[in-house]
Amino acid sequence: MYGTFGGYTRWAVVFLIIFVLFILLVPGYGGQQGC
């Protein structure tokens, strides 16, 4: 039950969170630096 999708889902969730934070933070930081 905790074999195939055990560690994969955990890494998928972590990667998804990091990706979302990256997408949200980069445009804001770049916009502030540009202005």
Side-chain angles (χ1 to χ4, degrees):
M1 202 169 186
Y2 194 78
T4 308
F5 295 97
Y8 182 76
T9 46
R10 189 192 304 183
W11 280 109
V13 171
V14 172
F15 183 77
L16 182 63
I17 293 174
I18 294 175
F19 185 74
V20 170
L21 289 177
F22 187 78
I23 292 296
L24 290 177
L25 289 177
V26 167
Y29 185 75
Q32 291 178 358
Q33 289 295 95
C35 290

